[in-house]
PDB file of all heavy atoms in Angstrom:
ATOM      1  N   MET D1376      63.895 180.265 189.034  1.00 56.00           N
ATOM      2  CA  MET D1376      64.649 179.909 190.220  1.00 56.00           C
ATOM      3  C   MET D1376      64.410 178.472 190.630  1.00 56.00           C
ATOM      4  O   MET D1376      65.283 177.714 191.049  1.00 56.00           O
ATOM      5  CB  MET D1376      64.251 180.826 191.395  1.00 56.00           C
ATOM      6  CG  MET D1376      64.551 182.300 191.198  1.00 56.00           C
ATOM      7  SD  MET D1376      66.232 182.632 190.650  1.00 56.00           S
ATOM      8  CE  MET D1376      65.933 182.967 188.904  1.00 56.00           C
ATOM      9  N   VAL D1379      66.334 176.298 188.313  1.00 62.00           N
ATOM     10  CA  VAL D1379      67.750 176.242 188.697  1.00 62.00           C
ATOM     11  C   VAL D1379      67.964 175.367 189.877  1.00 62.00           C
ATOM     12  O   VAL D1379      68.945 174.536 189.934  1.00 62.00           O
ATOM     13  CB  VAL D1379      68.255 177.648 188.924  1.00 62.00           C
ATOM     14  CG1 VAL D1379      69.711 177.627 189.468  1.00 62.00           C
ATOM     15  CG2 VAL D1379      68.219 178.494 187.664  1.00 62.00           C
ATOM     16  N   LEU D1386      71.664 167.471 189.455  1.00 65.00           N
ATOM     17  CA  LEU D1386      73.097 167.355 189.215  1.00 65.00           C
ATOM     18  C   LEU D1386      73.744 166.660 190.404  1.00 65.00           C
ATOM     19  O   LEU D1386      74.611 165.734 190.243  1.00 65.00           O
ATOM     20  CB  LEU D1386      73.724 168.744 189.025  1.00 65.00           C
ATOM     21  CG  LEU D1386      75.108 168.802 188.419  1.00 65.00           C
ATOM     22  CD1 LEU D1386      75.089 168.162 187.022  1.00 65.00           C
ATOM     23  CD2 LEU D1386      75.531 170.205 188.281  1.00 65.00           C
ATOM     24  N   LEU D1387      73.334 167.042 191.610  1.00 64.00           N
ATOM     25  CA  LEU D1387      73.885 166.396 192.823  1.00 64.00           C
ATOM     26  C   LEU D1387      73.509 164.933 192.855  1.00 64.00           C
ATOM     27  O   LEU D1387      74.330 164.079 193.173  1.00 64.00           O
ATOM     28  CB  LEU D1387      73.309 167.088 194.073  1.00 64.00           C
ATOM     29  CG  LEU D1387      74.130 168.137 194.702  1.00 64.00           C
ATOM     30  CD1 LEU D1387      73.342 168.691 195.895  1.00 64.00           C
ATOM     31  CD2 LEU D1387      75.436 167.640 195.157  1.00 64.00           C
ATOM     32  N   CYS D1390      75.560 162.808 190.177  1.00 62.00           N
ATOM     33  CA  CYS D1390      76.997 162.579 190.355  1.00 62.00           C
ATOM     34  C   CYS D1390      77.231 161.277 191.107  1.00 62.00           C
ATOM     35  O   CYS D1390      76.371 160.818 191.876  1.00 62.00           O
ATOM     36  CB  CYS D1390      77.574 163.716 191.178  1.00 62.00           C
ATOM     37  SG  CYS D1390      77.701 165.285 190.280  1.00 62.00           S
ATOM     38  N   SER D1391      78.362 160.661 190.851  1.00 60.00           N
ATOM     39  CA  SER D1391      78.663 159.350 191.449  1.00 60.00           C
ATOM     40  C   SER D1391      78.864 159.530 192.957  1.00 60.00           C
ATOM     41  O   SER D1391      79.365 160.517 193.448  1.00 60.00           O
ATOM     42  CB  SER D1391      79.938 158.770 190.819  1.00 60.00           C
ATOM     43  OG  SER D1391      81.014 159.645 191.082  1.00 60.00           O
ATOM     44  N   ARG D1392      78.425 158.540 193.658  1.00 63.00           N
ATOM     45  CA  ARG D1392      78.584 158.525 195.151  1.00 63.00           C
ATOM     46  C   ARG D1392      79.194 157.213 195.542  1.00 63.00           C
ATOM     47  O   ARG D1392      79.102 156.215 194.871  1.00 63.00           O
ATOM     48  CB  ARG D1392      77.232 158.730 195.784  1.00 63.00           C
ATOM     49  CG  ARG D1392      76.660 160.125 195.649  1.00 63.00           C
ATOM     50  CD  ARG D1392      75.270 160.173 196.265  1.00 63.00           C
ATOM     51  NE  ARG D1392      74.370 159.317 195.474  1.00 63.00           N
ATOM     52  CZ  ARG D1392      73.141 159.093 195.829  1.00 63.00           C
ATOM     53  NH1 ARG D1392      72.649 159.660 196.877  1.00 63.00           N
ATOM     54  NH2 ARG D1392      72.376 158.332 195.065  1.00 63.00           N
ATOM     55  N   HIS D1393      79.874 157.238 196.675  1.00 65.00           N
ATOM     56  CA  HIS D1393      80.434 156.011 197.195  1.00 65.00           C
ATOM     57  C   HIS D1393      79.668 155.514 198.454  1.00 65.00           C
ATOM     58  O   HIS D1393      80.114 154.518 199.026  1.00 65.00           O
ATOM     59  CB  HIS D1393      81.933 156.234 197.510  1.00 65.00           C
ATOM     60  CG  HIS D1393      82.118 157.151 198.673  1.00 65.00           C
ATOM     61  ND1 HIS D1393      81.957 158.516 198.549  1.00 65.00           N
ATOM     62  CD2 HIS D1393      82.370 156.936 199.971  1.00 65.00           C
ATOM     63  CE1 HIS D1393      82.188 159.092 199.704  1.00 65.00           C
ATOM     64  NE2 HIS D1393      82.413 158.129 200.569  1.00 65.00           N
ATOM     65  N   ASP D1396      78.714 151.891 198.791  1.00 69.00           N
ATOM     66  CA  ASP D1396      79.748 150.859 198.985  1.00 69.00           C
ATOM     67  C   ASP D1396      80.050 150.612 200.407  1.00 69.00           C
ATOM     68  O   ASP D1396      80.412 151.496 201.159  1.00 69.00           O
ATOM     69  CB  ASP D1396      81.024 151.338 198.258  1.00 69.00           C
ATOM     70  CG  ASP D1396      80.848 151.417 196.772  1.00 69.00           C
ATOM     71  OD1 ASP D1396      79.965 150.659 196.252  1.00 69.00           O
ATOM     72  OD2 ASP D1396      81.507 152.191 196.098  1.00 69.00           O
ATOM     73  N   ASP D1397      79.849 149.395 200.826  1.00 78.00           N
ATOM     74  CA  ASP D1397      80.128 149.003 202.216  1.00 78.00           C
ATOM     75  C   ASP D1397      81.613 148.585 202.275  1.00 78.00           C
ATOM     76  O   ASP D1397      82.238 148.149 201.320  1.00 78.00           O
ATOM     77  CB  ASP D1397      79.256 147.856 202.624  1.00 78.00           C
ATOM     78  CG  ASP D1397      77.774 148.213 202.700  1.00 78.00           C
ATOM     79  OD1 ASP D1397      77.544 149.413 202.975  1.00 78.00           O
ATOM     80  OD2 ASP D1397      76.939 147.415 202.388  1.00 78.00           O
ATOM     81  N   LEU D1398      82.148 148.710 203.477  1.00 82.00           N
ATOM     82  CA  LEU D1398      83.509 148.232 203.736  1.00 82.00           C
ATOM     83  C   LEU D1398      83.538 146.707 203.732  1.00 82.00           C
ATOM     84  O   LEU D1398      82.524 146.104 204.037  1.00 82.00           O
ATOM     85  CB  LEU D1398      83.962 148.698 205.067  1.00 82.00           C
ATOM     86  CG  LEU D1398      84.313 150.235 205.211  1.00 82.00           C
ATOM     87  CD1 LEU D1398      84.502 150.566 206.662  1.00 82.00           C
ATOM     88  CD2 LEU D1398      85.546 150.567 204.436  1.00 82.00           C
ATOM     89  N   VAL D1399      84.650 146.133 203.346  1.00 84.00           N
ATOM     90  CA  VAL D1399      84.819 144.701 203.447  1.00 84.00           C
ATOM     91  C   VAL D1399      85.148 144.387 204.911  1.00 84.00           C
ATOM     92  O   VAL D1399      86.129 144.895 205.436  1.00 84.00           O
ATOM     93  CB  VAL D1399      85.925 144.207 202.534  1.00 84.00           C
ATOM     94  CG1 VAL D1399      86.193 142.762 202.789  1.00 84.00           C
ATOM     95  CG2 VAL D1399      85.603 144.476 201.082  1.00 84.00           C
ATOM     96  N   ILE D1401      86.495 142.196 207.815  1.00 84.00           N
ATOM     97  CA  ILE D1401      87.432 141.114 208.067  1.00 84.00           C
ATOM     98  C   ILE D1401      86.798 140.121 209.065  1.00 84.00           C
ATOM     99  O   ILE D1401      86.452 140.538 210.178  1.00 84.00           O
ATOM    100  CB  ILE D1401      88.774 141.636 208.544  1.00 84.00           C
ATOM    101  CG1 ILE D1401      89.404 142.523 207.534  1.00 84.00           C
ATOM    102  CG2 ILE D1401      89.729 140.474 208.861  1.00 84.00           C
ATOM    103  CD1 ILE D1401      90.702 143.161 207.954  1.00 84.00           C
ATOM    104  N   LEU D1406      94.673 133.179 214.422  1.00 89.00           N
ATOM    105  CA  LEU D1406      96.063 133.588 214.246  1.00 89.00           C
ATOM    106  C   LEU D1406      97.014 132.697 214.950  1.00 89.00           C
ATOM    107  O   LEU D1406      96.671 132.103 215.994  1.00 89.00           O
ATOM    108  CB  LEU D1406      96.251 135.028 214.691  1.00 89.00           C
ATOM    109  CG  LEU D1406      95.346 136.126 214.068  1.00 89.00           C
ATOM    110  CD1 LEU D1406      95.612 137.455 214.669  1.00 89.00           C
ATOM    111  CD2 LEU D1406      95.532 136.142 212.546  1.00 89.00           C
ATOM    112  N   ASP D1478      93.787 129.090 209.636  1.00 91.00           N
ATOM    113  CA  ASP D1478      92.999 129.887 208.680  1.00 91.00           C
ATOM    114  C   ASP D1478      93.906 130.411 207.522  1.00 91.00           C
ATOM    115  O   ASP D1478      93.459 131.308 206.818  1.00 91.00           O
ATOM    116  CB  ASP D1478      92.344 131.056 209.379  1.00 91.00           C
ATOM    117  CG  ASP D1478      91.021 130.659 210.024  1.00 91.00           C
ATOM    118  OD1 ASP D1478      90.554 129.541 209.708  1.00 91.00           O
ATOM    119  OD2 ASP D1478      90.458 131.469 210.807  1.00 91.00           O
ATOM    120  N   TYR D1479      95.089 129.901 207.444  1.00 92.00           N
ATOM    121  CA  TYR D1479      96.073 130.304 206.414  1.00 92.00           C
ATOM    122  C   TYR D1479      96.509 131.743 206.532  1.00 92.00           C
ATOM    123  O   TYR D1479      96.856 132.400 205.528  1.00 92.00           O
ATOM    124  CB  TYR D1479      95.485 130.053 204.990  1.00 92.00           C
ATOM    125  CG  TYR D1479      95.258 128.629 204.678  1.00 92.00           C
ATOM    126  CD1 TYR D1479      93.994 128.024 204.918  1.00 92.00           C
ATOM    127  CD2 TYR D1479      96.325 127.813 204.235  1.00 92.00           C
ATOM    128  CE1 TYR D1479      93.782 126.693 204.652  1.00 92.00           C
ATOM    129  CE2 TYR D1479      96.101 126.447 204.001  1.00 92.00           C
ATOM    130  CZ  TYR D1479      94.829 125.905 204.194  1.00 92.00           C
ATOM    131  OH  TYR D1479      94.633 124.570 203.958  1.00 92.00           O
ATOM    132  N   VAL D1480      96.541 132.214 207.744  1.00 92.00           N
ATOM    133  CA  VAL D1480      97.012 133.577 208.015  1.00 92.00           C
ATOM    134  C   VAL D1480      98.431 133.468 208.500  1.00 92.00           C
ATOM    135  O   VAL D1480      98.703 132.719 209.516  1.00 92.00           O
ATOM    136  CB  VAL D1480      96.179 134.344 209.041  1.00 92.00           C
ATOM    137  CG1 VAL D1480      96.745 135.759 209.300  1.00 92.00           C
ATOM    138  CG2 VAL D1480      94.740 134.459 208.566  1.00 92.00           C
ATOM    139  N   GLU D1481      99.381 134.106 207.813  1.00 92.00           N
ATOM    140  CA  GLU D1481     100.793 134.042 208.110  1.00 92.00           C
ATOM    141  C   GLU D1481     101.119 135.077 209.143  1.00 92.00           C
ATOM    142  O   GLU D1481     100.723 136.221 209.100  1.00 92.00           O
ATOM    143  CB  GLU D1481     101.613 134.167 206.861  1.00 92.00           C
ATOM    144  CG  GLU D1481     103.074 134.004 207.071  1.00 92.00           C
ATOM    145  CD  GLU D1481     103.850 134.126 205.786  1.00 92.00           C
ATOM    146  OE1 GLU D1481     103.288 134.682 204.811  1.00 92.00           O
ATOM    147  OE2 GLU D1481     105.038 133.749 205.710  1.00 92.00           O
ATOM    148  N   SER D1483     104.068 137.314 211.415  1.00 90.00           N
ATOM    149  CA  SER D1483     105.231 138.081 210.980  1.00 90.00           C
ATOM    150  C   SER D1483     106.448 137.164 210.965  1.00 90.00           C
ATOM    151  O   SER D1483     106.441 136.094 211.557  1.00 90.00           O
ATOM    152  CB  SER D1483     105.500 139.218 212.006  1.00 90.00           C
ATOM    153  OG  SER D1483     105.637 138.711 213.282  1.00 90.00           O
TER     154      SER D1483
ATOM    155  N   TYR N 514      87.562 163.500 193.750  1.00 91.00           N
ATOM    156  CA  TYR N 514      86.607 162.615 194.388  1.00 91.00           C
ATOM    157  C   TYR N 514      86.448 161.262 193.642  1.00 91.00           C
ATOM    158  O   TYR N 514      86.505 160.189 194.245  1.00 91.00           O
ATOM    159  CB  TYR N 514      85.236 163.284 194.506  1.00 91.00           C
ATOM    160  CG  TYR N 514      84.124 162.331 194.992  1.00 91.00           C
ATOM    161  CD1 TYR N 514      84.173 161.769 196.268  1.00 91.00           C
ATOM    162  CD2 TYR N 514      83.061 162.043 194.083  1.00 91.00           C
ATOM    163  CE1 TYR N 514      83.198 160.895 196.589  1.00 91.00           C
ATOM    164  CE2 TYR N 514      82.070 161.125 194.496  1.00 91.00           C
ATOM    165  CZ  TYR N 514      82.161 160.550 195.766  1.00 91.00           C
ATOM    166  OH  TYR N 514      81.189 159.740 196.159  1.00 91.00           O
ATOM    167  N   ASN N 515      86.365 161.356 192.339  1.00 90.00           N
ATOM    168  CA  ASN N 515      86.274 160.150 191.561  1.00 90.00           C
ATOM    169  C   ASN N 515      87.538 159.296 191.710  1.00 90.00           C
ATOM    170  O   ASN N 515      87.450 158.078 191.771  1.00 90.00           O
ATOM    171  CB  ASN N 515      86.032 160.463 190.038  1.00 90.00           C
ATOM    172  CG  ASN N 515      84.634 161.021 189.868  1.00 90.00           C
ATOM    173  OD1 ASN N 515      83.748 160.817 190.665  1.00 90.00           O
ATOM    174  ND2 ASN N 515      84.430 161.704 188.764  1.00 90.00           N
ATOM    175  N   ARG N 522      87.625 151.614 195.928  1.00 90.00           N
ATOM    176  CA  ARG N 522      87.106 150.359 195.372  1.00 90.00           C
ATOM    177  C   ARG N 522      88.218 149.413 195.013  1.00 90.00           C
ATOM    178  O   ARG N 522      88.063 148.155 195.114  1.00 90.00           O
ATOM    179  CB  ARG N 522      86.221 150.669 194.151  1.00 90.00           C
ATOM    180  CG  ARG N 522      84.939 151.345 194.547  1.00 90.00           C
ATOM    181  CD  ARG N 522      84.092 151.764 193.372  1.00 90.00           C
ATOM    182  NE  ARG N 522      82.811 152.347 193.835  1.00 90.00           N
ATOM    183  CZ  ARG N 522      82.071 153.156 193.115  1.00 90.00           C
ATOM    184  NH1 ARG N 522      82.383 153.460 191.902  1.00 90.00           N
ATOM    185  NH2 ARG N 522      80.972 153.644 193.632  1.00 90.00           N
ATOM    186  N   LYS N 525      89.359 147.892 198.216  1.00 91.00           N
ATOM    187  CA  LYS N 525      88.279 146.997 198.719  1.00 91.00           C
ATOM    188  C   LYS N 525      88.389 145.660 197.957  1.00 91.00           C
ATOM    189  O   LYS N 525      88.252 144.631 198.537  1.00 91.00           O
ATOM    190  CB  LYS N 525      86.992 147.683 198.465  1.00 91.00           C
ATOM    191  CG  LYS N 525      85.760 146.941 198.988  1.00 91.00           C
ATOM    192  CD  LYS N 525      84.532 147.772 198.665  1.00 91.00           C
ATOM    193  CE  LYS N 525      83.309 146.862 198.790  1.00 91.00           C
ATOM    194  NZ  LYS N 525      82.084 147.586 198.466  1.00 91.00           N
ATOM    195  N   LEU N 535      92.221 133.208 201.408  1.00 90.00           N
ATOM    196  CA  LEU N 535      92.347 132.421 202.633  1.00 90.00           C
ATOM    197  C   LEU N 535      91.330 131.272 202.626  1.00 90.00           C
ATOM    198  O   LEU N 535      91.673 130.151 203.047  1.00 90.00           O
ATOM    199  CB  LEU N 535      92.019 133.380 203.849  1.00 90.00           C
ATOM    200  CG  LEU N 535      93.060 134.446 204.166  1.00 90.00           C
ATOM    201  CD1 LEU N 535      92.582 135.277 205.346  1.00 90.00           C
ATOM    202  CD2 LEU N 535      94.403 133.817 204.490  1.00 90.00           C
ATOM    203  N   GLY N 538      92.629 128.378 200.707  1.00 88.00           N
ATOM    204  CA  GLY N 538      93.891 127.762 201.092  1.00 88.00           C
ATOM    205  C   GLY N 538      95.108 128.535 200.698  1.00 88.00           C
ATOM    206  O   GLY N 538      96.250 128.047 200.834  1.00 88.00           O
ATOM    207  N   VAL N 540      97.910 131.341 201.356  1.00 90.00           N
ATOM    208  CA  VAL N 540      98.430 132.036 202.558  1.00 90.00           C
ATOM    209  C   VAL N 540      98.520 133.538 202.330  1.00 90.00           C
ATOM    210  O   VAL N 540      98.924 133.986 201.235  1.00 90.00           O
ATOM    211  CB  VAL N 540      99.840 131.449 202.864  1.00 90.00           C
ATOM    212  CG1 VAL N 540     100.485 132.240 204.020  1.00 90.00           C
ATOM    213  CG2 VAL N 540      99.763 129.993 203.133  1.00 90.00           C
ATOM    214  N   ALA N 541      98.090 134.313 203.340  1.00 90.00           N
ATOM    215  CA  ALA N 541      98.221 135.752 203.271  1.00 90.00           C
ATOM    216  C   ALA N 541      98.734 136.179 204.647  1.00 90.00           C
ATOM    217  O   ALA N 541      98.290 135.704 205.675  1.00 90.00           O
ATOM    218  CB  ALA N 541      96.874 136.396 203.023  1.00 90.00           C
ATOM    219  N   SER N 542      99.671 137.094 204.596  1.00 90.00           N
ATOM    220  CA  SER N 542     100.217 137.555 205.900  1.00 90.00           C
ATOM    221  C   SER N 542      99.309 138.523 206.572  1.00 90.00           C
ATOM    222  O   SER N 542      98.544 139.256 205.951  1.00 90.00           O
ATOM    223  CB  SER N 542     101.601 138.215 205.692  1.00 90.00           C
ATOM    224  OG  SER N 542     101.450 139.422 205.025  1.00 90.00           O
ATOM    225  N   ILE N 543      99.353 138.499 207.921  1.00 90.00           N
ATOM    226  CA  ILE N 543      98.477 139.366 208.720  1.00 90.00           C
ATOM    227  C   ILE N 543      98.855 140.834 208.485  1.00 90.00           C
ATOM    228  O   ILE N 543      98.013 141.704 208.512  1.00 90.00           O
ATOM    229  CB  ILE N 543      98.576 138.962 210.226  1.00 90.00           C
ATOM    230  CG1 ILE N 543      97.538 139.724 210.999  1.00 90.00           C
ATOM    231  CG2 ILE N 543      99.983 139.242 210.769  1.00 90.00           C
ATOM    232  CD1 ILE N 543      96.103 139.319 210.677  1.00 90.00           C
ATOM    233  N   GLU N 544     100.150 141.091 208.201  1.00 90.00           N
ATOM    234  CA  GLU N 544     100.538 142.471 207.905  1.00 90.00           C
ATOM    235  C   GLU N 544      99.882 142.963 206.614  1.00 90.00           C
ATOM    236  O   GLU N 544      99.464 144.079 206.569  1.00 90.00           O
ATOM    237  CB  GLU N 544     102.093 142.581 207.766  1.00 90.00           C
ATOM    238  CG  GLU N 544     102.835 142.469 209.092  1.00 90.00           C
ATOM    239  CD  GLU N 544     103.298 141.110 209.380  1.00 90.00           C
ATOM    240  OE1 GLU N 544     102.860 140.183 208.651  1.00 90.00           O
ATOM    241  OE2 GLU N 544     104.049 140.915 210.313  1.00 90.00           O
ATOM    242  N   ARG N 554      90.209 151.764 204.417  1.00 92.00           N
ATOM    243  CA  ARG N 554      89.536 152.759 205.313  1.00 92.00           C
ATOM    244  C   ARG N 554      90.056 154.178 205.050  1.00 92.00           C
ATOM    245  O   ARG N 554      89.290 155.148 205.127  1.00 92.00           O
ATOM    246  CB  ARG N 554      89.752 152.379 206.795  1.00 92.00           C
ATOM    247  CG  ARG N 554      89.026 151.080 207.160  1.00 92.00           C
ATOM    248  CD  ARG N 554      89.259 150.656 208.561  1.00 92.00           C
ATOM    249  NE  ARG N 554      88.675 149.346 208.832  1.00 92.00           N
ATOM    250  CZ  ARG N 554      87.398 149.132 209.053  1.00 92.00           C
ATOM    251  NH1 ARG N 554      86.605 150.189 209.197  1.00 92.00           N
ATOM    252  NH2 ARG N 554      86.917 147.912 209.235  1.00 92.00           N
ATOM    253  N   LEU N 557      88.422 155.495 201.978  1.00 90.00           N
ATOM    254  CA  LEU N 557      87.051 155.830 202.254  1.00 90.00           C
ATOM    255  C   LEU N 557      86.921 157.163 202.948  1.00 90.00           C
ATOM    256  O   LEU N 557      86.094 158.013 202.604  1.00 90.00           O
ATOM    257  CB  LEU N 557      86.396 154.736 203.119  1.00 90.00           C
ATOM    258  CG  LEU N 557      84.883 155.006 203.434  1.00 90.00           C
ATOM    259  CD1 LEU N 557      84.049 155.018 202.165  1.00 90.00           C
ATOM    260  CD2 LEU N 557      84.343 153.954 204.398  1.00 90.00           C
ATOM    261  N   ASP N 561      85.202 160.558 201.506  1.00 89.00           N
ATOM    262  CA  ASP N 561      84.223 161.329 202.281  1.00 89.00           C
ATOM    263  C   ASP N 561      84.551 162.777 202.280  1.00 89.00           C
ATOM    264  O   ASP N 561      83.712 163.655 202.087  1.00 89.00           O
ATOM    265  CB  ASP N 561      84.143 160.810 203.736  1.00 89.00           C
ATOM    266  CG  ASP N 561      83.358 159.508 203.839  1.00 89.00           C
ATOM    267  OD1 ASP N 561      82.480 159.260 202.949  1.00 89.00           O
ATOM    268  OD2 ASP N 561      83.582 158.742 204.795  1.00 89.00           O
ATOM    269  N   ARG N 567      83.356 168.595 197.005  1.00 91.00           N
ATOM    270  CA  ARG N 567      82.702 168.597 195.679  1.00 91.00           C
ATOM    271  C   ARG N 567      81.252 169.157 195.842  1.00 91.00           C
ATOM    272  O   ARG N 567      80.866 170.029 195.056  1.00 91.00           O
ATOM    273  CB  ARG N 567      82.605 167.193 195.128  1.00 91.00           C
ATOM    274  CG  ARG N 567      82.143 167.165 193.704  1.00 91.00           C
ATOM    275  CD  ARG N 567      81.533 165.852 193.364  1.00 91.00           C
ATOM    276  NE  ARG N 567      80.303 165.604 194.035  1.00 91.00           N
ATOM    277  CZ  ARG N 567      79.514 164.563 193.889  1.00 91.00           C
ATOM    278  NH1 ARG N 567      79.871 163.610 193.076  1.00 91.00           N
ATOM    279  NH2 ARG N 567      78.366 164.405 194.507  1.00 91.00           N
ATOM    280  N   ASN N 568      80.554 168.736 196.855  1.00 89.00           N
ATOM    281  CA  ASN N 568      79.222 169.250 197.062  1.00 89.00           C
ATOM    282  C   ASN N 568      79.237 170.720 197.417  1.00 89.00           C
ATOM    283  O   ASN N 568      78.361 171.455 197.030  1.00 89.00           O
ATOM    284  CB  ASN N 568      78.494 168.431 198.136  1.00 89.00           C
ATOM    285  CG  ASN N 568      78.150 167.051 197.631  1.00 89.00           C
ATOM    286  OD1 ASN N 568      78.249 166.750 196.468  1.00 89.00           O
ATOM    287  ND2 ASN N 568      77.799 166.157 198.569  1.00 89.00           N
ATOM    288  N   LEU N 571      79.688 172.555 194.282  1.00 90.00           N
ATOM    289  CA  LEU N 571      78.477 172.445 193.446  1.00 90.00           C
ATOM    290  C   LEU N 571      77.400 173.424 194.038  1.00 90.00           C
ATOM    291  O   LEU N 571      76.726 174.119 193.257  1.00 90.00           O
ATOM    292  CB  LEU N 571      77.949 171.038 193.477  1.00 90.00           C
ATOM    293  CG  LEU N 571      76.712 170.753 192.623  1.00 90.00           C
ATOM    294  CD1 LEU N 571      76.996 171.091 191.163  1.00 90.00           C
ATOM    295  CD2 LEU N 571      76.318 169.319 192.730  1.00 90.00           C
ATOM    296  N   THR N 579      72.173 181.239 190.723  1.00 90.00           N
ATOM    297  CA  THR N 579      70.829 181.722 191.138  1.00 90.00           C
ATOM    298  C   THR N 579      70.885 183.212 191.500  1.00 90.00           C
ATOM    299  O   THR N 579      70.024 184.025 191.063  1.00 90.00           O
ATOM    300  CB  THR N 579      70.363 180.897 192.312  1.00 90.00           C
ATOM    301  OG1 THR N 579      70.397 179.500 191.964  1.00 90.00           O
ATOM    302  CG2 THR N 579      68.939 181.253 192.677  1.00 90.00           C
ATOM    303  N   ILE N 582      71.030 185.438 188.513  1.00 89.00           N
ATOM    304  CA  ILE N 582      69.763 185.647 187.818  1.00 89.00           C
ATOM    305  C   ILE N 582      68.819 186.513 188.617  1.00 89.00           C
ATOM    306  O   ILE N 582      68.165 187.412 188.118  1.00 89.00           O
ATOM    307  CB  ILE N 582      69.145 184.250 187.527  1.00 89.00           C
ATOM    308  CG1 ILE N 582      69.991 183.512 186.562  1.00 89.00           C
ATOM    309  CG2 ILE N 582      67.679 184.447 186.961  1.00 89.00           C
ATOM    310  CD1 ILE N 582      69.549 182.142 186.262  1.00 89.00           C
ATOM    311  N   VAL N 583      68.783 186.294 189.958  1.00 89.00           N
ATOM    312  CA  VAL N 583      67.993 187.160 190.802  1.00 89.00           C
ATOM    313  C   VAL N 583      68.420 188.628 190.694  1.00 89.00           C
ATOM    314  O   VAL N 583      67.610 189.549 190.562  1.00 89.00           O
ATOM    315  CB  VAL N 583      68.058 186.683 192.292  1.00 89.00           C
ATOM    316  CG1 VAL N 583      67.448 187.737 193.205  1.00 89.00           C
ATOM    317  CG2 VAL N 583      67.350 185.337 192.408  1.00 89.00           C
TER     318      VAL N 583
END
Side-chain angles (χ1 to χ4, degrees):
Chain D
M1376 298 310 104
V1379 172
L1386 197 60
L1387 264 179
C1390 289
S1391 62
R1392 288 175 296 176
H1393 66 282
D1396 293 333
D1397 295 327
L1398 289 169
V1399 173
I1401 299 177
L1406 302 179
D1478 276 349
Y1479 295 96
V1480 179
E1481 185 179 14
S1483 59
Chain N
Y514 169 65
N515 289 340
R522 289 177 178 158
K525 182 180 165 182
L535 292 178
V540 176
S542 70
I543 189 66
E544 285 94 350
R554 292 176 187 279
L557 180 63
D561 282 337
R567 190 203 69 177
N568 289 347
L571 183 59
T579 306
I582 294 175
V583 169

